[in-house]
Amino acid sequence: CTTVAGSSGYGGSSTTRLNYPCAVAITATDDYLVADAGNHRLQLCPAASPGSLCTAVAGTGSSGSGHAQLNRPADVAVTAGDYLVADADNHRIQLCPAASPGSPCTTVAG
């Protein structure tokens, strides 16, 4: 097997580390979108460069219930270019804009 995102060993919060990744979706450009639950964020990791830096595209890295925050995202899907997130500990489904990473998300259920 080949590690395509994150680093082996202990979890962490840097751009090359994941902390309890729960789900992965593949984007239209074949990159990996990872629900990084322990870091309360979605990470976009380039498929063309396995093991390289990932980019936080939703969530702040700290748990919270604000529109730009996630609390243990448990699943993710790509829909019409945006990201649909099961924000587990906030008991809601968030739609996050792929075109504006880090922008506030919209609650669509919960």
Side-chain angles (χ1 to χ4, degrees):
C1 295
T2 300
T3 300
V4 295
S7 301
S8 61
Y10 297 102
S13 60
S14 72
T15 55
T16 59
R17 295 278 189 177
L18 300 172
N19 190 0
Y20 294 103
C22 287
V24 178
I26 306 299
T27 68
T29 57
D30 291 331
D31 291 326
Y32 308 111
L33 185 63
V34 181
D36 189 6
N39 286 320
H40 312 287
R41 64 188 180 189
L42 293 184
Q43 291 276 72
L44 186 62
C45 304
S49 303
S52 63
L53 300 179
C54 298
T55 302
V57 294
T60 62
S62 296
S63 64
S65 59
H67 292 294
Q69 295 176 304
L70 300 171
N71 193 350
R72 298 194 67 77
D75 203 357
V76 62
V78 178
T79 63
D82 291 325
Y83 310 134
L84 195 61
V85 184
D87 190 10
D89 285 357
N90 281 324
H91 312 283
R92 65 187 181 184
I93 304 298
Q94 294 284 84
L95 184 63
C96 302
S100 302
S103 295
C105 302
T106 302
T107 300
V108 296

